[in-house]
Amino acid sequence: NDQKINKYPLIIGVDEEGGFVTRVSRFPSFRNEKFASPKYYYEQGGYELLEKTETEKAKLLKEIGINLNLAPVVDISTNEKDFIYNRAFGGNAKETSEFAKRMVTISNKEKINSCLKHFPGYGNNVDTHTGIAIDERSYESFKNNDFLPFEAGIKAGVPSILVSHNLVKSMDDKYPASLSENVIKELRNTLNFTGIIITDDLAMDAVKSYVENNEAATLAINAGNDMIITSDFVNMYKEVLNSVKENKIKEETINKAVIRIIAWKYYSDLWN
């Protein structure tokens, strides 16, 4: 009810991908059994079953007050040795694009926010929770393959996209994607995405090795991210405040992101 009182209610997000990553349905008080992965439902009963369970998932999340699901995972991974394979749809670019389109369409229909991840495409890289993943693939391979599911999701009206911590050399050989102005520009200019760009958790090990003086949040904001995910909230909050005071972050940069977020809340009609 407090959400209804607030003119611009909070965005409350969760990772409820299904399968390996289930932050809500793993608890019996919310669901008898946790949601399986989208790939599992698709293999068991095609899009009919997958769409049915995704609709149920959206309703469950909304019921408990969550209005952003940090899903679907639209990384293309067809090799079961890849770190991301167990969380991906498992199809090629065309199949994963169809999956992206359908997942976003269901979320929009059920009035819950979805989020495509992990831009610019995870590929066969290692786990960034524990260290940096360096991606040597050519820019063309992203443009002709990994970008396609993101483009499909954008066309279907996805409101947000999450950026990975992979260091994608063909786009930026200095910073991980989440801190890279070049990678964010790809989303804005090449894919014409006008929605909300979100970082992966900035407290992950993959970021620490690339950042001096604990300035991950400052770099992320200046790179063009609209929202930051962090499990080190208090320190990063202080850091951002400090950076604005010291003019390391211009107020207009913050305002640009905030206006975009307010517009998102205003137009998404999620609280009515």
Side-chain angles (χ1 to χ4, degrees):
N1 284 345
D2 291 349
Q3 286 281 63
K4 287 190 168 75
I5 296 163
N6 189 344
K7 193 177 176 190
Y8 300 114
L10 293 171
I11 295 288
I12 299 174
V14 75
D15 288 298
E16 186 64 36
E17 298 169 10
F20 276 79
V21 181
T22 46
R23 304 277 189 256
V24 172
S25 66
R26 68 165 70 172
F27 298 104
S29 49
F30 292 121
R31 195 169 188 266
N32 292 338
E33 56 178 344
K34 69 175 190 173
F35 283 107
S37 67
K39 176 170 43 183
Y40 171 83
Y41 292 124
Y42 180 73
E43 283 166 357
Q44 295 302 307
Y47 274 118
E48 195 184 340
L49 179 61
L50 176 53
E51 290 177 344
K52 191 176 154 226
T53 48
E54 279 301 315
T55 302
E56 186 201 329
K57 186 190 288 180
K59 285 181 163 50
L60 168 65
L61 295 178
K62 282 194 74 178
E63 210 174 278
I64 59 175
I66 290 164
N67 50 37
L68 167 64
N69 188 10
L70 295 161
V73 174
V74 297
D75 301 292
I76 296 166
S77 172
T78 52
N79 182 347
E80 51 195 59
K81 290 192 173 78
D82 296 347
F83 160 72
I84 206 72
Y85 180 78
N86 288 323
R87 291 168 62 193
F89 186 58
N92 60 24
K94 194 180 172 198
E95 291 159 340
T96 306
S97 297
E98 177 66 18
F99 165 70
K101 183 184 95 176
R102 287 185 185 239
M103 295 299 95
V104 170
T105 303
I106 284 174
S107 297
N108 288 347
K109 191 176 153 210
E110 292 301 321
K111 291 194 173 180
I112 189 167
N113 289 304
S114 54
C115 180
L116 303 172
K117 61 188 192 187
H118 309 77
F119 190 80
Y122 213 94
N124 59 354
N125 291 285
V126 298
D127 180 3
T128 50
H129 291 79
T130 52
I132 197 71
I134 295 176
D135 195 321
E136 307 270 1
R137 289 176 295 165
S138 71
Y139 176 71
E140 278 63 40
S141 74
F142 282 96
K143 208 157 183 238
N144 302 329
N145 194 55
D146 295 69
F147 282 2
L148 300 180
F150 290 97
E151 285 171 353
I154 291 167
K155 277 200 185 106
V158 77
S160 66
I161 293 178
L162 183 141
V163 181
S164 78
H165 296 321
N166 295 354
L167 187 93
V168 185
K169 278 192 165 177
S170 62
M171 294 177 215
D172 191 332
D173 58 6
K174 191 179 175 200
Y175 287 118
S178 52
L179 307 179
S180 165
E181 199 177 339
N182 288 354
V183 172
I184 306 284
K185 276 182 178 159
E186 285 298 319
L187 258 184
R188 292 285 184 227
N189 303 342
T190 309
L191 278 72
N192 298 318
F193 181 58
T194 57
I196 305 296
I197 298 176
I198 306 176
T199 68
D200 212 338
D201 184 352
L202 287 187
M204 281 189 200
D205 290 349
V207 175
K208 288 172 188 162
S209 50
Y210 280 79
V211 176
E212 290 170 17
N213 332 318
N214 295 334
E215 291 196 338
T218 305
L219 284 166
I221 290 167
N222 284 334
N225 288 284
D226 298 302
M227 293 178 100
I228 286 169
I229 291 179
T230 176
S231 42
D232 189 14
F233 175 77
V234 175
N235 287 327
M236 287 198 180
Y237 170 78
K238 287 177 186 162
E239 178 211 321
V240 171
L241 213 55
N242 213 26
S243 289
V244 172
K245 280 177 191 158
E246 291 176 10
N247 211 22
K248 286 180 186 169
I249 299 173
K250 291 189 166 60
E251 263 188 63
E252 67 191 87
T253 307
I254 298 267
N255 289 346
K256 216 182 214 177
V258 170
I259 287 165
R260 204 178 268 124
I261 293 162
I262 289 172
W264 177 29
K265 292 174 173 185
Y266 181 80
Y267 287 109
S268 60
D269 189 34
L270 295 177
W271 294 272
N272 297 331

